[in-house]
Amino acid sequence: MKKALIVAPSWIGDTIMAQPLFARLHAKYAGLQLDALAPRWVAPVLERMGEISEVIDSPFGHGQLSLKPRWKLARRLAAGNYDAVYVLPNSLKSALVPFLAGIPKRIGFTGESRYGLINVRHRLDKVALPLMVERFAQLAEAPGAALPKPIFHPKIRSTVTDQQKTLAELGLVRPLRIVAFCPGAEYGPAKRWPAAHFAALAKSLAAHGCTIWLFGSPKDHAVAEEISQLAPGLCRNLCGATSLAQAVDLLALAELVVCNDSGLMHVAAALDRPLVTLYGSSSPGFTPPLSDQADILSLKLDCSPCFKRECPLGHLDCLNKLSPEMVLQASLKRMTA
């Protein structure tokens, strides 16, 4: 195989967790050209992976069928003469364009009854493959074959040149000690540590000489602003002020990253930054931070993980009772490790 396409996931964290698959494909097929079809909001992390040659824009939003534009995209992909495509999402729509493009080998899990659309079909054994990174890596093997382990941790790059360029673009001066907070979580409030807890942690870390930078999307600006107001003069709210590529470069400068279970958690892990992650409604048993420098904090209450967007019991004890003091101790330990 000389040329292959990846149909990438629609989530940043999932895309990060697919990188070990890309590395395995290059190891199996010398000289492979590996391109990716991806939504524009995840493209920047693919562009930071050495395994990906070209990122092709997938302009479709969540749930859009858009048959005519999909046909046009399929014609473009057909001209690329790909030998194979690895369809990482399990949806029917994600397999449609590669089928219309006539790519000979269309590899993926059967998913939403995608018989015919996927012609190299893997059946998912959730017990044998509990982690998402394992499920992606399995696609490098023949259907039914055992998954070789260990799976190396995802890696994305941020060079000194990238970092200096980003600092200059944003008019930022690099502080001596940066601690990054990622207070958002796209999935919902049941994954978000309280703003007051983040603010209390900011005050404690500032007393240790740290400057706090807050990262996230425009949707996270309000909660980051609340943290900034509760810890006056200690936080720089960068939520919505950076591109994803710029956030990657700034996170690479951090001495520590404290975050919820989110896409930026996986970015920080792939940058090999010291990391303290906070779990409430979700479980590290499926999508943990893949890093030797990550600590996972979870109270493991009887009611969690519930995997709900909002606390069904109305108290959010899984995160409210995860105290700033507990997170501070983990943070200081990780910073001196």
Side-chain angles (χ1 to χ4, degrees):
M1 185 165 63
K2 295 298 182 183
K3 191 175 182 184
L5 180 70
I6 299 291
V7 178
S10 295
W11 298 94
I12 294 169
D14 293 3
T15 302
I16 294 283
M17 286 182 283
Q19 188 269 340
L21 164 64
F22 310 157
R24 288 185 175 214
L25 292 175
H26 277 279
K28 290 174 79 77
Y29 303 105
L32 176 67
Q33 178 181 328
L34 189 62
D35 297 341
L37 176 66
R40 59 199 60 172
W41 56 87
V42 302
V45 295
L46 289 160
E47 291 164 353
R48 297 302 183 95
M49 297 178 185
E51 299 83 6
I52 300 298
S53 297
E54 180 185 359
V55 181
I56 301 164
D57 181 47
S58 177
F60 311 110
H62 293 293
Q64 289 183 333
L65 187 55
S66 308
L67 282 175
K68 188 173 180 180
R70 286 182 194 273
W71 173 256
K72 289 182 178 180
L73 178 57
R75 293 304 86 210
R76 177 185 172 188
L77 295 179
N81 295 313
Y82 291 102
D83 301 309
V85 57
Y86 294 82
V87 183
L88 304 192
N90 285 328
S91 68
L92 192 70
K93 291 186 291 293
S94 63
L96 186 58
V97 170
F99 172 77
L100 294 174
I103 299 174
K105 292 178 67 176
R106 301 181 299 277
I107 301 153
F109 290 100
T110 301
E112 296 178 354
S113 301
R114 303 188 295 181
Y115 300 101
L117 297 183
I118 298 294
N119 60 9
V120 181
R121 295 194 300 272
H122 291 253
R123 295 188 181 277
L124 177 58
D125 183 340
K126 294 182 178 181
V127 175
L129 302 174
L131 298 176
M132 181 173 285
V133 68
E134 296 173 336
R135 298 175 187 182
F136 288 148
Q138 179 66 49
L139 297 180
E141 310 303 320
L147 176 65
K149 296 183 181 180
I151 298 173
F152 295 108
H153 292 153
K155 298 294 178 190
I156 59 174
R157 64 173 180 263
S158 174
T159 66
V160 172
T161 300
D162 292 330
Q163 295 156 16
Q164 291 173 341
K165 179 173 179 286
T166 290
L167 288 169
E169 287 172 346
L170 297 172
L172 295 172
V173 176
R174 180 179 180 177
L176 184 62
R177 305 184 74 186
I178 302 169
V179 172
F181 287 178
C182 304
E186 186 72 16
Y187 184 74
K191 290 177 71 172
R192 297 184 198 133
W193 201 44
H197 286 8
F198 269 115
L201 181 63
K203 292 175 183 178
S204 297
L205 289 172
H208 287 82
C210 299
T211 298
I212 313 301
W213 284 359
L214 307 177
F215 293 91
S217 72
K219 295 178 183 177
D220 303 319
H221 183 84
V223 68
E225 198 59 28
E226 182 181 355
I227 295 167
S228 298
Q229 291 173 3
L230 291 170
L234 302 180
C235 302
R236 180 70 178 260
N237 184 0
L238 295 170
C239 292
T242 73
S243 67
L244 177 56
Q246 289 171 328
V248 168
D249 292 328
L250 297 182
L251 285 170
L253 297 172
E255 186 175 345
L256 175 74
V257 181
V258 180
C259 56
N260 301 316
D261 175 16
S262 65
L264 289 181
M265 174 191 76
H266 293 288
V267 169
L271 290 166
D272 203 29
R273 292 294 79 212
L275 185 61
V276 174
T277 64
L278 315 172
Y279 277 79
S281 68
S282 58
S283 169
F286 180 44
T287 56
L290 299 169
S291 169
D292 293 328
Q293 293 207 77
D295 291 312
I296 296 169
L297 299 187
S298 171
L299 294 179
K300 300 179 181 177
L301 302 181
D302 290 342
C303 56
S304 66
C306 67
F307 301 105
K308 302 295 186 182
R309 294 180 184 271
E310 298 187 17
C311 177
L313 302 177
H315 53 58
L316 199 61
D317 282 354
C318 58
L319 289 171
N320 284 329
K321 292 185 177 180
L322 184 59
S323 70
E325 292 76 16
M326 295 169 65
V327 181
L328 175 64
Q329 292 307 310
S331 298
L332 296 176
K333 184 178 179 180
R334 179 51 65 184
M335 292 168 74
T336 57

